[in-house]
Amino acid sequence: MKKRVWIGAALAAGVALSAIGIAKSKNVAVKSADLMEGIQQNKVHPDVDIAGNGAVVLSDFGVRLLQNTIEKEQNILISPLSIICALGMTANGAKGQTLEQMEQVFGIGREKLNSYLYAYVQALPKGKNYKLLAANSIWLKDDPKFTVRQEFLQSNADWYGAGVYKQVFDDTAAEKINGWVEEHSDGMISEILSQVPEDAIMYLVNALVFDAEWETIYKESQIHSGVFTAEDGTEQDVEMMYSTEKQYLEDDRAVGFIKYYADKKYAFAALLPKEGVTVEEYVETLDGERLRAVLENRTEVDVNAAIPKFQCEYGVELAEVFQRLGMTDAFDSRIADFSEMGSYKDYNIFISRILHKTFIAVDEKGTRAGAATAVEMARGLSLREEKMVHLDRPFVYLLIDCEADVPVFMGTVMGIGGN
């Protein structure tokens, strides 16, 4: 039996609207050796429709993650975009059945995923009052036993703009990686790693930031004290923000609305399960196509809307989630095949953990959100009737890219004032 090897595929996601690290990542306050000297980012020419099948795939990927992370009475928040970017980089080092299982979980082949994510990120709209920004990096352990394939690094440079750094994995390594994540998540995610395990040999890191003002910022007169009723019946005092929105959402089990950020490039979409339907039950009925159908079939009608001010920090370890989804070989030290990534003398390389952290703050001015994911690999106004949707009990919400109808963040609010 081969000995175990630890690698770290770290993904960091935040929420600032701009672009996903297709330029070389900045190396702010990081004194690790920059290995990009021998790697030039080549021009690639993806031929994909960002609002086509790839968008459905990403929506479905997000829904399946939400279904497998949802917990009773706990607020959750994930960034499917951050997670799939990090795993996309990791997949560029996979081979055989390990790769096949990853592609099955993604719902798309590796080459098509690379092409779609590159094109999607390049097309992200940017403006004065909104941004969606992401960056990628790869951190290698300075160890003569560890050899990384140049083809792997080149592929991630071309498609993900990933910078490459060699680092002594001592007590300062986590501090430096965390510093990179904090820098590229606008300070919203300050720590993705508490420590770097002794056997860790690589981290693939993605950082994502979203920051946007509402199209119409709430006035003081629109903010009033209210009550949010949690699923267990507990009542919580909140500040509710009231407005009239124009896009109404409804299916057989939920109602909701869309509230736009500046220039209508991004939006906050809320789905409130109908009375008698729990958030968990509603999420179980969704898939990518159904979610996109709800968003696309919105109707123009006045919606008397209310959103509670809320803030959430969330962290989850996703290894078991991905194993349940069918990506099992990648976590098995005996059979994982990451030979296209590189090799470690006398050891096999496999994924040990997938760490994901997120943050969101919604208030009268807009929304800030951030996320971080670490894949750690190891050796071993209308005249029609008015609708009313007040988010005063548990609900589902999404931060969506309006042009592609892609959920960048997905979450649930089960209570206010806690996670």
Side-chain angles (χ1 to χ4, degrees):
M1 182 183 299
K2 293 183 179 180
K3 296 180 182 178
R4 299 184 177 183
V5 178
W6 295 85
I7 302 181
L11 330 171
V15 187
L17 298 168
S18 172
I20 273 185
I22 292 306
K24 291 181 184 178
S25 305
K26 293 184 293 183
N27 192 18
V28 178
V30 174
K31 296 181 180 180
S32 306
D34 189 342
L35 300 185
M36 291 303 290
E37 201 171 295
I39 301 173
Q40 298 298 319
Q41 184 179 0
N42 297 317
K43 286 187 177 181
V44 292
H45 305 282
D47 182 19
V48 296
D49 175 9
I50 63 170
N53 183 61
V56 176
V57 166
L58 187 54
S59 296
D60 189 64
F61 177 76
V63 168
R64 284 182 286 127
L65 285 180
L66 188 64
Q67 289 170 337
N68 280 273
T69 53
I70 193 167
E71 295 184 45
K72 290 181 182 294
E73 300 179 12
Q74 181 177 349
N75 297 344
I76 67 169
L77 175 64
I78 58 173
S79 173
L81 180 59
S82 170
I83 295 168
I84 205 166
C85 280
L87 283 174
M89 289 196 293
T90 307
N92 283 324
K95 190 177 178 182
Q97 187 167 299
T98 299
L99 175 60
E100 291 175 10
Q101 290 180 356
M102 294 182 79
E103 291 176 328
Q104 288 171 2
V105 171
F106 298 157
I108 190 172
R110 176 174 64 189
E111 284 70 26
K112 289 184 177 179
L113 177 63
N114 287 339
S115 185
Y116 175 76
L117 290 176
Y118 178 89
Y120 176 75
V121 168
Q122 288 292 309
L124 284 172
K126 312 174 187 74
K128 178 181 178 182
N129 298 317
Y130 53 90
K131 62 179 180 178
L132 179 55
L133 188 64
N136 300 295
S137 63
I138 299 175
W139 300 73
L140 309 176
K141 183 177 184 178
D142 189 355
D143 188 333
K145 294 182 179 179
F146 183 34
T147 301
V148 180
R149 287 173 59 90
Q150 287 297 108
E151 295 87 349
F152 167 73
L153 298 179
Q154 185 68 61
S155 182
N156 282 323
D158 293 346
W159 294 108
Y160 296 89
V164 183
Y165 307 102
K166 182 175 284 189
Q167 167 71 42
V168 175
F169 278 13
D170 56 14
D171 293 341
T172 67
E175 179 182 350
K176 291 182 178 180
I177 294 172
N178 287 337
W180 187 95
V181 168
E182 185 172 19
E183 170 73 20
H184 290 84
S185 64
D186 279 5
M188 286 181 279
I189 307 297
S190 60
E191 180 181 288
I192 187 64
L193 294 170
S194 59
Q195 63 178 6
V196 173
E198 182 180 351
D199 291 331
I201 59 174
M202 181 190 294
Y203 286 93
L204 295 98
V205 182
N206 162 268
L208 176 68
V209 178
F210 174 88
D211 196 348
E213 286 187 1
W214 298 119
E215 181 181 42
T216 303
I217 295 174
Y218 290 92
K219 299 177 181 178
E220 189 176 342
S221 60
Q222 294 175 285
I223 304 172
H224 303 282
S225 298
V227 174
F228 184 94
T229 304
E231 217 159 57
D232 63 0
T234 303
E235 294 187 346
Q236 301 166 334
D237 295 331
V238 297
E239 286 188 277
M240 296 293 289
M241 304 181 294
Y242 295 88
S243 62
T244 299
E245 304 303 331
K246 304 294 184 182
Q247 302 290 327
Y248 178 67
L249 306 174
E250 184 173 16
D251 63 12
D252 58 341
R253 289 192 160 202
V255 296
F257 60 86
I258 287 177
K259 181 175 180 62
Y260 289 106
Y261 296 103
D263 289 351
K264 290 186 169 66
K265 299 300 184 182
Y266 299 92
F268 178 94
L271 291 165
L272 182 69
K274 294 180 178 178
E275 293 288 353
V277 179
T278 67
V279 164
E280 191 171 9
E281 289 169 345
Y282 179 65
V283 169
E284 281 301 315
T285 69
L286 295 176
D287 58 27
E289 289 189 1
R290 184 180 175 93
L291 177 60
R292 285 175 62 81
V294 173
L295 297 175
E296 291 172 355
N297 294 332
R298 50 186 177 261
T299 56
E300 283 199 29
V301 60
D302 283 359
V303 184
N304 181 335
I307 303 174
K309 286 188 184 182
F310 69 93
Q311 182 171 308
C312 172
E313 292 184 60
Y314 179 71
V316 64
E317 206 282 290
L318 293 169
E320 289 187 7
V321 168
F322 279 99
Q323 289 180 77
R324 286 200 301 269
L325 291 173
M327 205 175 92
T328 55
D329 284 15
F331 298 91
D332 192 321
S333 62
R334 300 164 301 171
I335 60 178
D337 188 349
F338 286 99
S339 55
E340 291 195 2
M341 181 180 289
S343 62
Y344 194 98
K345 187 178 179 180
D346 298 330
Y347 290 84
N348 192 32
I349 295 171
F350 70 102
I351 296 176
S352 160
R353 297 183 296 171
I354 301 178
L355 306 172
H356 189 56
K357 289 190 176 182
T358 53
F359 169 86
I360 191 170
V362 178
D363 61 23
E364 64 271 26
K365 292 183 178 179
T367 300
R368 296 183 72 238
T373 313
V375 181
E376 185 176 85
M377 305 185 67
R379 286 182 291 191
L381 244 39
S382 142
L383 293 177
R384 290 170 286 179
E385 68 169 312
E386 179 182 82
K387 302 290 186 179
M388 179 179 292
V389 182
H390 288 186
L391 306 179
D392 56 3
R393 52 187 174 81
F395 62 93
V396 178
Y397 68 95
L398 308 89
L399 303 184
I400 59 174
D401 175 342
C402 297
E403 296 186 356
D405 271 342
V406 165
V408 181
F409 280 76
M410 306 175 73
T412 63
V413 172
M414 302 298 207
I416 307 297
N419 293 341

